[in-house]
Amino acid sequence: IDTIFRERYNLPFNMIDRSLSAQSRLLEGLMRLLELPLGEFGYHQVMSVATHPSVGGALEGVNLERWRRWGEALNIRFGASQEDLQGTYIDRDVYHWDQGLRRLALGCFMEGELAGDERLFEVGVRAWVPFEVGGDGVSEGAQMIELCRSLIIDASECRRAKLSLGQWCMLFTRLVKRYLLSKSPADEQALTQCLETIEELKVTDLEGALISYEVAQSLLKGRLKRLEARRGQHQADGVVVSSMLPMRAIPFHTIYLLGLGERDFPA
């Protein structure tokens, strides 16, 4: 519908009973971003944010499938750094994001397993095997490192912080503007509505009491879920696209019913 009405014929139209997430995946990306500080930085959790179409997928020149292959090959499982593995049976500098991204950074300018060079790169008592990416992968490797490190650092700071609801809302606004990118008019509309929802939540902070991230994000997610339940409103001009039930009482000048056939006529 978007392609035919807007891109091909430039006809004004309004979708009435389509949810926000059906128009744009940006809200889904925001929900995943809000969940990140509450987890253990598992591989799939972080990558589901980094490779989301509204986050890493909106960056220029990025091959998300390559990012996923690299992440699997780097053997990243969970934890931001070795500190997150303290108290477990894992006593080596393995499996967490810090070692994986260090290996990827080294592999951007060193030979590694692909070239048959398995020498370690040592700094003090720590050592890593460079994860070779090849000359054509240097730019993408740098983008993946920057995005994943940034996500983990911001999420870690959110875990530790105690802020007022108003301060949390300012932080949520910065996170949205930093990580979520719009690539279509529907994305721009979803982005605007998400930012407006954060501003509405900010106004409710009357006492300025300090709360944890878990409480703040729970309040925001509740409002975002109500935002998802909203539907478009009828406009005076343009083509209205809807299922039949919500629009049947409006006396349109012309009505087209899609999907009708000799045996398929609605009662």
Side-chain angles (χ1 to χ4, degrees), residues 238-252:
V239 179
V240 176
V241 183
S242 169
S243 58
M244 210 170 61
L245 182 61
M247 294 289 102
R248 63 183 178 181
I250 298 180
F252 290 104

Side-chain angles (χ1 to χ4, degrees), residues 1-226:
I1 291 174
D2 289 340
T3 301
I4 295 297
F5 279 78
R6 178 182 291 115
E7 297 180 12
R8 186 167 181 179
Y9 296 108
N10 198 26
L11 290 174
F13 72 96
N14 187 29
M15 299 288 291
I16 296 296
D17 54 351
R18 183 170 62 163
S19 66
L20 184 61
S21 62
Q23 302 175 55
S24 166
R25 293 190 63 186
L26 191 137
L27 179 59
E28 176 191 67
L30 175 55
M31 289 294 197
R32 292 185 185 181
L33 183 63
L34 292 174
E35 286 290 330
L36 194 56
L38 303 179
E40 298 181 338
F41 298 126
Y43 168 74
H44 293 290
Q45 184 188 24
V46 176
M47 286 299 282
S48 72
V49 180
T51 61
H52 191 274
S54 296
V55 186
L59 299 174
E60 293 294 331
V62 168
N63 184 332
L64 296 181
E65 190 55 41
R66 178 183 269 186
W67 279 18
R68 295 186 184 98
R69 290 200 306 269
W70 285 346
E72 292 284 355
L74 286 165
N75 208 23
I76 298 170
R77 293 295 175 259
F78 70 95
S81 65
Q82 194 171 11
E83 293 180 2
D84 290 344
L85 304 184
Q86 290 182 358
T88 70
Y89 65 89
I90 304 171
D91 56 2
R92 296 169 55 205
D93 194 19
V94 293
Y95 298 131
H96 54 78
W97 279 94
D98 183 59
Q99 63 84 29
L101 296 177
R102 283 178 185 270
R103 291 182 60 204
L104 183 59
L106 292 171
C108 287
F109 57 90
M110 289 185 179
E111 290 185 340
E113 294 171 314
L114 292 178
D117 190 344
E118 298 184 358
R119 288 178 294 171
L120 301 179
F121 176 79
E122 301 182 19
V123 177
V125 296
R126 305 179 74 181
W128 302 275
V129 177
F131 183 81
E132 185 180 356
V133 298
D136 64 333
V138 172
S139 177
E140 284 186 65
Q143 287 176 299
M144 178 177 172
I145 293 167
E146 180 183 14
L147 178 57
C148 290
R149 282 209 181 276
S150 182
L151 285 169
I152 291 171
I153 289 171
D154 284 340
S156 298
E157 291 179 352
C158 287
R159 281 181 174 180
R160 297 187 292 266
K162 286 267 189 177
L163 304 172
S164 69
L165 183 58
Q167 291 171 325
W168 278 120
C169 287
M170 288 190 289
L171 179 57
F172 290 145
T173 299
R174 289 200 297 269
L175 292 176
V176 168
K177 291 181 177 179
R178 181 173 187 176
Y179 293 112
L180 297 173
L181 304 174
S182 58
K183 299 183 68 176
S184 68
D187 288 343
E188 292 176 6
Q189 181 183 5
L191 181 62
T192 299
Q193 293 186 40
C194 289
L195 291 173
E196 288 176 349
T197 301
I198 295 173
E199 284 299 310
E200 291 170 1
L201 178 62
K202 182 180 177 181
V203 175
T204 65
D205 183 20
L206 302 178
E207 299 181 358
L210 301 183
I211 58 177
S212 67
Y213 173 82
E214 185 173 4
V215 173
Q217 70 90 29
S218 177
L219 293 172
L220 177 58
K221 285 179 67 176
R223 287 178 174 260
L224 290 173
K225 288 178 180 178
R226 291 200 294 271

